[in-house]
């Protein structure tokens, strides 16, 4: 047969099919059409053994954007940029990767799960409805279609879809822009568009690789964080809320705030900087806790200075209570806090950390920092509340080598490094002071100049420390001499009193006629 005849016959067949379909759609009663389509679909399944599941972009009565659709789209974006030929670009706010590529409409990609092959396609339909709605939507309705063989129905509907949602959420969390939150005063909570927490982007570059600390101690902290991050099932098994407390203590300048930033970047957690002085009472503290998200770090810096609720509880006499109360009033008056006194209590803070309300979220880290750990109440920092105590100490030789690598790109120096190491053993200098000396102050300063400058500062600090120790020893000797002198005076006075008492006793005996 000629090609022209084939096309002519094909056109006649198509026209006949269209005519029959038009007659069927127009003249057949609806209930007969339903029965016909029902049995037609059953017949077609014998030759087409595939199942399709649709995930619509808009769902619900108000046609809100579906979180499931977004999560699946995020999961597919990892494969679509490699498999699909036509891609669609989208700019997403608050993401480390703002430009996200996904497959365009009418594109299809193949995915595999446990040896099972599935097909994902992006589709859209155009609505022809002219009805009025209080929630107008776009004429185009988009959806994702999952196609798979019917023999894999159970695996796909249970394990695979759950896998896609979990992976999509993990990718979203990994790519999101971290945020730094601070709590607003409660008097502002009822204002228009106001929230309990205000936030900004968290872009601190600190990481464990650049943290000035001994490698063994750093590795211990990293392992503890990894164990916590993977401990969902473990915490459920032991019956504890999925949270962990860290106490960072040490002198100012030892890197406590930098440690918090490094933990946040390592765990990919948001940071909530809780200011206790603006919290009015225990109830407000609970409401702030409820508003924090999972996968977050709640920080209370300088907790010993936050409020008058962290002092050790001791048995005191009445005069001690009066004296402490008077001191407290003087301090409050000096700070201007008499008019806005917080009713937050130590009990409320303990419940916030380790009470019933602490289980209202999951995967949270609570961090306290303090310069004076001895001032804190033992109940506040006991194990179970502050699970791990991390001492942020003065700069060691290992920590100095990290700083030298960070600031000067120097790994070693045969002459200057040993000198610095010996001086660091004899001197207490914080990592912040060491870093300040290592930082070049002009373009003409090379690494040797900075190292010599550090040596000079260490020698001055050592000399100052020796002078202070000498002064302290002198004062101790003076104090010892003074105490010895007072002791000798007391001894002489006691001897004189004893002699005088003996003389008085003899005179009394003589007067009474006992001595002849």
């Amino acid at each position: 047969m000629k090609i022209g005849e084939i096309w002519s016959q094909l056109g006649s067949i198509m026209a006949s099919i269209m005519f029959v379909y038009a007659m069927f759609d127009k003249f057949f009663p609806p209930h007969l059409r339903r029965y016909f389509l029902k049995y037609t679909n059953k017949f077609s399944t014998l030759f087409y053994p595939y199942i399709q599941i649709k995930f619509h972009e808009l769902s619900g009565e108000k046609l809100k954007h579906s979180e499931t659709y977004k999560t699946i789209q995020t999961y597919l974006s990892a494969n679509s940029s490699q498999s699909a030929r036509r891609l669609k670009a989208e700019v997403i706010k608050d993401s480390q990767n703002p430009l996200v590529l996904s497959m365009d409409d009418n594109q299809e990609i193949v995915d595999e799960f446990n040896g099972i092959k599935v097909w994902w396609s992006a589709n859209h339909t155009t609505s022809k409805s002219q009805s009025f709605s209080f929630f107008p939507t776009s004429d185009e309705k988009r959806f994702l279609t999952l196609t798979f063989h019917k023999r894999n129905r159970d695996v796909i509907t249970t394990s695979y879809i759950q896998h896609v949602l979990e992976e999509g959420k993990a990718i979203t969390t990994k790519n999101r822009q971290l945020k730094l939150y601070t709590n607003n005063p409660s008097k502002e909570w009822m204002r228009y568009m106001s929230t309990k927490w205000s936030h900004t982007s968290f872009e601190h570059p600190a990481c464990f690789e650049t943290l000035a600390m001994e490698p063994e101690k750093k590795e211990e902290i990293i392992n503890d964080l990894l164990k916590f991050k993977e401990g969902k099932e473990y915490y459920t098994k032991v019956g504890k809320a999925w949270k962990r407390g860290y106490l960072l203590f040490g002198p100012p300048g030892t890197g406590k705030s930098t440690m918090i930033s490094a933990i946040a970047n390592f765990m990919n957690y948001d940071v909530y900087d809780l200011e206790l002085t603006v919290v009015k009472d225990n109830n407000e503290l609970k409401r702030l806790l409820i508003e924090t998200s999972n996968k977050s770090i709640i920080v209370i810096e300088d907790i010993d200075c936050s409020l008058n609720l962290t002092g050790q509880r001791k048995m005191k006499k009445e005069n001690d209570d009066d004296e402490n109360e008077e001191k407290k009033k003087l301090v409050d008056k000096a700070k201007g806090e008499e008019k806005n006194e917080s009713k937050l209590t130590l009990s409320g803070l303990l419940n916030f950390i380790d009470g019933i309300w602490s289980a209202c979220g999951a995967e949270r880290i609570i961090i306290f920092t303090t310069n004076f750990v001895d001032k804190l109440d033992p109940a506040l920092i006991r194990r179970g509340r502050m699970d791990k105590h991390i001492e942020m100490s003065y700069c060691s030789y290992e920590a100095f080598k990290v700083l030298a690598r960070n600031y000067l790109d120097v790994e070693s120096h045969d002459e200057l490094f040993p000198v610095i190491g010996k001086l660091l053993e004899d001197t207490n200098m914080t990592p912040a002071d060491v870093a300040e000396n290592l930082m070049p102050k002009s373009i003409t300063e090379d690494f040797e100049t900075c190292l010599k400058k550090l040596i000079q500062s260490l020698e001055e600090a050592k000399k100052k420390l020796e002078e202070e120790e000498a002064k302290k020893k002198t004062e101790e000797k003076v104090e010892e001499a003074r105490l010895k002198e007072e002791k000798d005076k007391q001894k002489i006075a006691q001897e004189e009193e004893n002699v005088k008492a003996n003389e008085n006793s003899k005179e009394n005996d003589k007067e009474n006629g006992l001595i002849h």
Side-chain angles (χ1 to χ4, degrees), residues 74 122 144 193 233 248 310 341 354-355:
T74 301
L144 296 169
M193 297 294 289
E233 295 181 357
L248 308 182
T310 57
E341 185 177 359
D354 196 34

Side-chain angles (χ1 to χ4, degrees), residues 486-498:
E486 288 182 358
K487 188 175 181 180
D488 293 340
K489 288 181 179 180
Q490 291 176 358
K491 184 178 181 181
I492 293 172
Q494 184 66 36
E495 291 177 352
E496 290 178 351
E497 288 180 1
N498 292 337

Side-chain angles (χ1 to χ4, degrees), residues 205-417:
C207 61
F208 280 104
E209 287 76 11
T210 60
L211 192 65
M213 181 179 284
E214 294 81 357
E216 297 80 9
K217 194 172 183 180
K218 195 185 301 184
E219 189 68 22
E220 178 186 347
I221 297 171
I222 291 174
N223 290 335
D224 189 83
L225 291 170
L226 290 175
K227 181 67 176 178
F228 169 76
K229 194 171 187 177
E230 300 171 358
K232 181 179 181 180
E233 295 181 357
Y234 176 78
Y235 279 85
T236 302
K237 184 184 73 172
V238 300
K240 291 185 63 177
W242 192 9
K243 65 176 185 62
R244 190 155 180 82
Y246 287 83
L247 175 67
L248 308 182
F249 64 95
T254 51
K256 295 185 286 293
S257 298
T258 305
M259 169 65 79
I260 295 172
S261 300
I263 293 175
N265 288 325
F266 179 77
M267 301 291 283
N268 201 35
Y269 286 0
D270 291 329
V271 179
Y272 288 83
D273 184 14
L274 179 59
E275 180 57 56
L276 291 179
T277 56
V278 300
V279 180
K280 189 168 62 176
D281 52 33
N282 297 336
N283 188 45
E284 282 190 5
L285 189 63
K286 295 174 185 176
R287 294 171 69 183
L288 286 169
L289 177 64
I290 294 173
E291 292 295 324
T292 59
S293 63
N294 297 337
K295 296 182 182 293
S296 61
I297 300 174
I298 301 174
V299 179
I300 303 179
E301 293 195 276
D302 298 323
I303 189 171
D304 54 299
C305 305
S306 296
L307 286 173
N308 188 25
L309 47 75
T310 57
Q312 294 185 3
R313 291 170 290 185
K314 298 178 180 180
M315 298 300 295
K316 300 180 181 180
K317 298 179 181 180
E318 291 296 330
N319 56 352
D320 291 336
D321 291 337
D322 295 340
E323 182 179 353
N324 291 336
E325 186 67 24
E326 185 177 353
K327 289 182 179 179
K328 180 179 180 299
K329 289 181 179 180
L330 291 174
V331 172
D332 290 344
K333 186 175 181 181
K335 294 182 178 180
E337 296 177 350
E338 288 184 328
K339 295 182 180 180
N340 189 25
E341 185 177 359
S342 174
K343 296 181 181 179
L344 184 64
T345 64
L346 177 61
S347 175
L349 185 60
L350 296 180
N351 288 330
F352 171 83
I353 302 168
D354 196 34
I356 297 176
W357 286 91
S358 66
C360 67
E363 202 170 351
R364 287 197 182 103
I365 295 177
I366 302 174
I367 298 180
F368 290 166
T369 71
T370 180
N371 297 333
F372 307 100
V373 67
D374 296 335
K375 292 184 178 181
L376 301 181
D377 194 296
L380 189 64
I381 60 176
R382 69 165 176 80
R383 306 293 178 176
R385 290 194 174 109
M386 293 294 104
D387 304 284
K388 190 170 184 62
H389 295 189
I390 303 174
E391 182 179 6
M392 308 298 293
S393 187
Y394 294 103
C395 188
S396 64
Y397 181 61
E398 293 296 329
F400 155 73
K401 289 195 292 185
V402 175
L403 293 173
R405 184 173 64 249
N406 295 341
Y407 285 85
L408 303 175
D409 293 325
V410 177
E411 295 289 344
S412 63
H413 194 284
D414 295 336
E415 296 180 3
L416 300 181
F417 269 44

Side-chain angles (χ1 to χ4, degrees), residues 47-74:
F47 303 96
Y48 186 78
Y50 291 95
I51 299 175
Q52 291 184 340
I53 301 178
K54 293 182 179 180
F55 299 89
H56 291 272
E57 181 183 18
L58 303 176
S59 62
E61 295 181 358
K62 298 181 181 180
L63 296 180
K64 294 182 178 179
H65 286 274
S66 171
E67 291 296 330
T68 302
Y69 179 90
K70 291 181 180 179
T71 304
I72 296 174
Q73 195 176 43
T74 301

